[in-house]
Amino acid sequence: MISKTYTPQEIEAKWYQYWLDNKLFASKPNPDKEPYSIVIPPPNVTGVLHMGHMLNNTIQDVLIRKARMEGKEACWVPGTDHASIATEAKVVAMLKERGIEKKDITREEFLEYAHEWKDKYGGIILDQLKKLGASCDWDRTRFTMEPSLYEAVIDTFVRLYGKGQIYRGVRMVNWDPQGKTALSDEEVIEKDVQAKLFHIKYPVVGADGEFLTIATTRPETIMADTAICVNPNDERYVAYHGKSVEIPLLGRAIPVITDEYVAMDFGTGCLKVTPAHDLNDYELGLKHKLPVIDILDDAGFLNEKAVLYVGQDRFAARRNIVKDLEEAGFLVKVEEYKSIVKTSERTGAVIEPKLSLQWFLKMEDISKPALENVMNDNIKLYPSKFKNTYRSWMENVHDWCISRQLWWGQQIPAFYLQDGTVIVAKNKREALRKAQHELQLFALTEEDLTQDPDVLDTWFSSWLWPISVFDGIENPENEDIKYYYPTNDLVTGPDILFFWVARMIIAGYEWREELPFRNVYLTGIVRDKQGRKMSKSLGNSPDPLDLIAQYGADGVRSGLLFSAPAGNDLLFDDKLCEQGRNFCNKVWNAFRLVKGWEIADAEQPAGNVLAIKWFNSKISQVVLEVQDHFSKFRISDALLSIYNLIWDDFCGQYLEIIKPAFGSPIDQATYDATIGIFEKLMALAHPYMPFITEEIWQAIAERQEGESICRAAYPVAGEIDTQVLADFEILFGIVSKVRETRNTKQISPKTGLPLAIKTEDVARYKQLESIIVKLANTFAIEYVSSNVENAISFVLKADEFFISLEGELDVEAELANATKELEYNLGFKKSVEAKLSNERFVNNAKPDVVEKERQKLADAESKIKALEETIARLKAM
């Protein structure tokens, strides 16, 4: 017994467990099958499901389910990323709640707490993905800090160091004072802000009453100034070349230097040079051999080198120094100023440029294959517009700062002797062996070696992900890596195109001398109806699990993909999910209707035979459309083709044609064909709506335990009868026009209408008569050779149709409608003629495209002729 309503909560839990119990998502290398593999963009262990995850993972699931049904050995590898900064922050917060400070415990104790936190919370997001229907091979779940993946990262560091690609040096880095760690450029978010530009006077040494005025947004750093720089061509300051000025409040003298780097038309033309706290100033300082004074500690507080405001937070110091500068007469003015502030992606803290001893990976040479193979489309980006962004990044790549001042992560495998000698090795035992045998330091013990306390950047592990999840670093010839790698498709957001995608490509060519994936599908950002990015802080992001509870997973999945073109943002509205739920209900009610029919051993009506032939051609046509959309990663377009096929063509047309009269049975042949069609439709829709399609597929026929639509064959296009498709296009046009007439004239649907057809192809309409009568409720069809008087008429293709209304005809209205339609067709004809008169189009377009245009012209000419006759007839009335 099929329930009256579709209840997704019960059905989803039942079938997901069934899929797991029967290992339907499991994959292993099979030489008899084509592999298809996807690696999940590993969500942070700190994460919970948000709308971006919903979109991204739904698309991945659609791709993997379709590949599985196409007979490929489909493998979707799940996993999580340890997320150094974010997770460490969570653990520190947890410890504070317990009254424990990180500084009071050892590294080993901290890592025990971190693993405790990860074990408790780290799998939440993966469990939530199961609610969505994600068909990952869960037995393959990986974690970037699990032992084998940890070792892969360490091996990578050692290997690259051995090749001279990794080095240690003092550089200006992005410093997160809250996370107390360096960040790469890609972990920095730039924000437009309304800042203040402070104009400050510096007294000229030996010239009473003379000042040089600088403009700065960071007055708290003036104590770190080591020069004032002016452009040598700036006539205003020629007299001050080689002189000195005093830092206000501090009184320390600094030189006035010249460099063409300074823009004469910005600010005052005088630049304060603070090498410790600005990248450009640092470069300028190196050029002019200026001292470096770092006045900020790791937490962003002023240290003893500042002399003033020691111990104050940088922003508190800013407020205080502005007040003191004003009181002392050094503050000239304050201007509002549009500026860009760099913030930490993870903590949100304002970044400090900071000189720091860090580890770096040289990027110039190692990046070249990754640039070349995207530009030549060996690896394709969808949409391709992102190639320009990618090229811009890769052509201007900087060395990658790969060290982080944290404890949670892969600890850098560098070991120091007391004299500062560095030994890079996989572990302390290996480092000792190197010291003893390569440096001839035979008396050394492991106690003489100190490992670098820093860990590696999170991305330094996730850039290996497509290789390391198949253990391809530690065992490069194992069965999995040889079968599943390169993977097929990557689905991710454009915001990590360089962070992650480019680096995975670099790693692929560095480690295996080949690409890591063939296609990169870049999703858009999920935004609210107002176009704002969804976020917790704005309170505009719904809980995905609440949406699933309300609309069902299939409703949410299809709702998200109704409007999610690659690379373009999705304006999310609950109505999309409502539309998805309504689609599920439509499918369910159609299935109940069909399964509720009584079946009889009766002769199959000719109209049903024709309808089945039409719909099978329609399915084949849509299957080809869908495959074309998938080949171009138009995932949403493919869904809309399936949606229209089921909602409009199947439910709206086909079922209406073959539906038996109320209380009457349906013949066995039509019923069997309809059930077969339903099975095909469910297979076609399954990647998008896995739960309801499984429920219906299982109810269509008795299945063996372990059988599932997950592994049923995906529909392939059969024979397409173009004539029957064209016939039914006219059929539905007739029905639409008759119904339109009823609505206009307010005639009851129960009232039969006479229909006359003026055509040279009577046979075409004879075969369609029974369907026309049934759908349009025409009580008779007459074939005429001349126009019918006092009738409403309409034209389809080259044929004219008449509905007699016995005196109810509004001649003026009909004449206006016909004239309007004629004008449209004359314009259409003109546009087609222009296209066909274009030699470039005719010579370069595909022959079938040109032929379609010629057919359009012929149809328009026939229609114009018929409309002109109609207008002449109406004018004569």
Side-chain angles (χ1 to χ4, degrees):
M1 182 68 180
I2 301 168
S3 64
K4 186 176 180 180
T5 57
Y6 176 61
T7 52
Q9 288 75 20
E10 297 172 20
I11 287 169
E12 288 166 9
K14 173 181 71 176
W15 289 120
Y16 202 87
Q17 192 59 49
Y18 177 86
W19 295 332
L20 293 179
D21 291 344
N22 289 282
K23 299 285 186 183
L24 290 164
F25 307 150
S27 178
K28 61 182 180 180
N30 184 343
D32 297 328
K33 282 185 171 186
E34 176 189 344
Y36 178 87
S37 54
I38 292 180
V39 294
I40 200 170
N44 292 349
V45 287
T46 59
V48 292
L49 200 62
H50 59 60
M51 296 303 291
H53 291 134
M54 290 274 281
L55 174 62
N56 184 297
N57 287 284
T58 296
I59 291 169
Q60 289 178 82
D61 197 45
V62 168
L63 293 172
I64 206 81
R65 285 181 181 272
K66 180 172 179 286
R68 192 180 288 122
M69 294 177 75
E70 289 172 329
K72 298 171 185 174
E73 188 56 47
C75 179
W76 184 11
V77 182
T80 49
D81 187 278
H82 63 280
S84 292
I85 299 173
T87 304
E88 183 140 333
K90 293 279 188 182
V91 177
V92 168
M94 177 189 77
L95 291 175
K96 280 188 176 179
E97 289 177 3
R98 300 182 184 181
I100 303 170
E101 293 289 332
K102 179 186 172 184
K103 62 181 177 60
D104 295 332
I105 59 177
T106 65
R107 184 187 196 111
E108 289 69 26
E109 288 171 330
F110 180 84
L111 291 176
E112 284 183 19
Y113 285 119
H115 281 287
E116 174 194 327
W117 188 95
K118 179 262 175 186
D119 291 342
K120 185 174 181 180
Y121 299 105
I124 289 176
I125 193 165
L126 297 184
D127 288 336
Q128 290 174 330
L129 286 177
K130 294 174 184 178
K131 297 281 188 185
L132 184 64
S135 59
C136 302
D137 183 349
W138 297 107
D139 292 336
R140 289 182 175 272
T141 302
R142 308 306 298 262
F143 174 51
T144 52
M145 280 275 282
E146 67 180 78
S148 63
L149 271 66
Y150 190 111
E151 288 300 314
V153 173
I154 299 303
D155 281 354
T156 298
F157 185 99
V158 173
R159 170 178 160 170
L160 290 173
Y161 181 83
K163 290 179 67 177
Q165 289 292 107
I166 287 178
Y167 65 94
R168 190 176 186 231
V170 175
R171 296 289 186 277
M172 182 72 71
V173 298
N174 302 301
W175 186 262
D176 179 346
Q178 186 172 326
K180 294 183 183 177
T181 182
L183 302 177
S184 66
D185 290 342
E186 294 72 41
E187 291 170 299
V188 174
I189 297 174
E190 292 186 344
K191 294 182 179 179
D192 293 326
V193 297
Q194 194 68 26
K196 286 183 169 60
L197 193 62
F198 301 92
H199 292 249
I200 303 169
K201 296 190 300 185
Y202 284 58
V204 178
V205 175
D208 288 346
E210 293 187 37
F211 302 89
L212 290 185
T213 302
I214 60 94
T216 181
T217 58
R218 305 185 65 206
E220 71 278 8
T221 63
I222 68 172
M223 288 84 74
D225 292 350
T226 54
I228 293 289
C229 190
V230 296
N231 192 300
N233 302 312
D234 193 334
E235 295 180 359
R236 294 173 295 175
Y237 302 115
V238 171
Y240 299 102
H241 294 182
K243 293 195 173 183
S244 297
V245 295
E246 288 183 355
I247 297 174
L249 303 180
L250 191 61
R252 176 163 54 81
I254 56 176
V256 177
I257 62 174
T258 62
D259 198 289
E260 291 187 351
Y261 165 77
V262 179
M264 291 187 287
D265 58 351
F266 179 78
T268 64
C270 290
L271 175 74
K272 66 188 284 296
V273 185
T274 319
H277 299 290
D278 182 274
L279 178 58
N280 295 320
D281 288 8
Y282 175 68
E283 298 295 336
L284 200 60
L286 288 176
K287 181 178 177 181
H288 292 274
K289 298 182 173 57
L290 298 175
V292 177
I293 304 171
D294 186 350
I295 64 167
L296 293 174
D297 68 14
D298 289 349
F301 288 78
L302 274 65
N303 60 29
E304 291 78 7
K305 291 179 183 177
V307 181
L308 306 174
Y309 313 105
V310 174
Q312 293 187 16
D313 171 76
R314 53 191 167 150
F315 298 117
R318 179 180 301 175
R319 291 190 297 271
N320 290 331
I321 195 171
V322 168
K323 178 184 174 186
D324 292 344
L325 285 168
E326 186 174 19
E327 289 178 355
F330 291 115
L331 187 64
V332 178
K333 63 179 178 177
V334 180
E335 294 178 324
E336 292 295 319
Y337 175 67
K338 286 185 178 178
S339 182
I340 294 174
V341 168
K342 295 183 176 183
T343 61
S344 167
E345 181 200 31
R346 296 298 183 197
T347 67
V350 174
I351 293 300
E352 280 293 338
K354 184 176 177 65
L355 282 173
S356 183
L357 183 61
Q358 303 285 347
W359 290 92
F360 295 86
L361 172 64
K362 296 177 183 177
M363 293 292 281
E364 185 177 355
D365 291 334
I366 202 173
S367 298
K368 287 176 181 175
L371 173 59
E372 176 188 347
N373 285 283
V374 170
M375 291 302 104
N376 66 18
D377 285 333
N378 282 341
I379 300 169
K380 291 184 179 179
L381 305 185
Y382 294 88
S384 60
K385 67 180 182 181
F386 285 107
K387 283 177 70 174
N388 290 331
T389 305
Y390 183 89
R391 179 172 55 209
S392 176
W393 277 336
M394 297 298 280
E395 287 178 345
N396 297 283
V397 69
H398 299 294
D399 287 357
W400 176 9
C401 177
I402 57 174
S403 48
R404 298 292 180 269
Q405 289 63 55
L406 302 165
W407 283 350
W408 176 245
Q410 293 90 358
Q411 191 171 355
I412 289 175
F415 301 85
Y416 304 102
L417 303 182
Q418 288 184 353
D419 63 1
T421 301
V422 181
I423 301 170
V424 170
K426 287 178 65 174
N427 50 51
K428 188 174 278 190
R429 186 178 69 250
E430 179 66 19
L432 180 62
R433 189 195 65 76
K434 278 187 174 185
Q436 291 175 335
H437 292 84
E438 294 176 17
L439 302 179
Q440 305 295 303
L441 300 172
F442 299 109
L444 281 182
T445 66
E446 287 190 10
E447 285 68 33
D448 296 313
L449 296 170
T450 303
Q451 187 169 356
D452 195 303
D454 291 351
V455 299
L456 286 156
D457 178 14
T458 296
W459 299 104
F460 197 81
S461 60
S462 56
W463 76 321
L464 304 175
W465 187 248
I467 306 173
S468 61
V469 294
F470 297 118
D471 294 319
I473 302 291
E474 298 296 281
N475 184 5
E477 295 301 317
N478 79 75
E479 188 181 17
D480 275 0
I481 193 75
K482 287 167 70 176
Y483 182 73
Y484 291 115
Y485 189 94
T487 63
N488 293 73
D489 304 321
L490 177 75
V491 182
T492 189
D495 54 326
I496 54 173
L497 182 56
F498 184 76
F499 264 115
W500 189 47
V501 179
R503 288 170 176 168
M504 283 190 289
I505 298 172
I506 292 168
Y509 285 103
E510 174 66 19
W511 276 98
R512 299 194 65 82
E513 298 182 348
E514 61 180 329
L515 46 77
F517 29 72
R518 295 179 177 87
N519 305 295
V520 180
Y521 178 99
L522 297 159
T523 65
I525 296 170
V526 183
R527 299 184 181 275
D528 65 15
K529 289 180 284 187
Q530 299 175 43
R532 301 175 303 173
K533 185 175 180 179
M534 288 186 164
S535 68
K536 287 182 181 178
S537 60
L538 287 175
N540 64 344
S541 182
D543 185 326
L545 296 183
D546 290 344
L547 290 175
I548 290 173
Q550 185 175 0
Y551 298 106
D554 290 331
V556 176
R557 287 166 64 111
S558 52
L560 276 173
L561 292 184
F562 279 137
S563 179
N568 292 323
D569 293 348
L570 185 157
L571 296 181
F572 179 77
D573 189 328
D574 281 12
K575 289 179 180 176
L576 289 169
C577 296
E578 190 176 335
Q579 184 183 357
R581 180 186 62 191
N582 292 346
F583 186 30
C584 291
N585 290 337
K586 186 80 169 179
V587 171
W588 186 255
N589 290 333
F591 183 60
R592 285 185 64 245
L593 174 69
V594 173
K595 291 295 279 185
W597 288 333
E598 183 184 340
I599 306 165
D601 185 14
E603 184 179 351
Q604 187 177 25
N608 287 9
V609 174
L610 201 58
I612 292 164
K613 188 175 183 181
W614 161 71
F615 197 77
N616 279 324
S617 288
K618 194 70 183 175
I619 288 179
S620 293
Q621 190 181 53
V622 170
V623 166
L624 291 178
E625 271 180 34
V626 166
Q627 294 291 26
D628 181 59
H629 287 318
F630 269 98
S631 72
K632 296 163 184 170
F633 283 85
R634 296 200 296 246
I635 311 298
S636 287
D637 292 341
L639 172 60
L640 289 173
S641 293
I642 296 167
Y643 176 86
N644 291 331
L645 175 69
I646 294 174
W647 190 290
D648 297 331
D649 299 318
F650 182 69
C651 297
Q653 307 286 15
Y654 174 81
L655 290 181
E656 290 300 311
I657 295 171
I658 61 108
K659 182 170 67 176
F662 182 74
S664 301
I666 193 168
D667 66 278
Q668 186 73 53
T670 299
Y671 178 80
D672 290 345
T674 303
I675 287 295
I677 285 170
F678 223 117
E679 193 159 355
K680 280 185 187 176
L681 293 176
M682 292 304 94
L684 197 58
H686 174 72
Y688 292 94
M689 304 160 64
F691 294 105
I692 191 171
T693 52
E694 182 76 82
E695 176 74 10
I696 290 174
W697 189 85
Q698 294 282 353
I700 282 173
E702 285 199 21
R703 313 287 182 182
Q704 297 291 324
E705 175 62 29
E707 280 191 295
S708 168
I709 194 173
C710 290
R711 294 188 177 270
Y714 195 75
V716 294
E719 183 181 347
I720 298 176
D721 188 326
T722 54
Q723 185 58 53
V724 79
L725 288 173
D727 290 346
F728 270 70
E729 185 181 347
I730 284 195
L731 162 68
F732 297 132
I734 295 168
V735 174
S736 175
K737 288 289 186 180
V738 173
R739 289 174 177 172
E740 185 182 305
T741 301
R742 287 183 189 281
N743 291 336
T744 304
K745 302 300 179 184
Q746 296 184 332
I747 300 170
S748 168
K750 296 179 181 179
T751 303
L753 295 175
L755 178 68
I757 306 174
K758 181 182 167 186
T759 180
E760 294 180 1
D761 190 0
V762 173
R764 167 182 253 187
Y765 296 100
K766 281 284 185 183
Q767 64 170 344
L768 297 171
E769 273 189 9
S770 63
I771 304 175
I772 295 171
V773 169
K774 184 175 186 179
L775 296 185
N777 190 16
T778 58
F779 60 76
I781 294 179
E782 181 184 0
Y783 297 93
V784 296
S785 57
S786 59
N787 296 329
V788 177
E789 299 298 324
N790 298 317
I792 286 179
S793 67
F794 57 89
V795 177
L796 295 171
K797 299 292 183 181
D799 299 330
E800 195 164 5
F801 302 81
F802 305 90
I803 303 171
S804 296
L805 293 177
E806 299 182 3
E808 294 187 25
L809 183 66
D810 184 338
V811 176
E812 290 300 320
E814 294 303 316
L815 183 60
N817 289 336
T819 303
K820 186 176 180 181
E821 192 171 353
L822 176 63
E823 288 172 356
Y824 169 80
N825 280 278
L826 286 168
F828 180 74
K829 174 176 176 276
K830 188 176 180 180
S831 68
V832 176
E833 285 175 332
K835 190 178 284 188
L836 288 171
S837 66
N838 184 330
E839 288 185 14
R840 182 180 293 180
F841 168 75
V842 174
N843 293 332
N844 295 330
K846 292 181 180 178
D848 61 323
V849 173
V850 177
E851 184 54 38
K852 279 182 183 177
E853 293 301 316
R854 288 184 175 136
Q855 186 58 52
K856 285 179 186 178
L857 181 60
D859 289 345
E861 288 171 340
S862 298
K863 208 166 199 180
I864 287 166
K865 182 181 177 183
L867 285 165
E868 287 173 341
E869 290 176 1
T870 298
I871 290 169
R873 175 172 54 80
L874 289 167
K875 284 181 176 179
M877 285 184 180

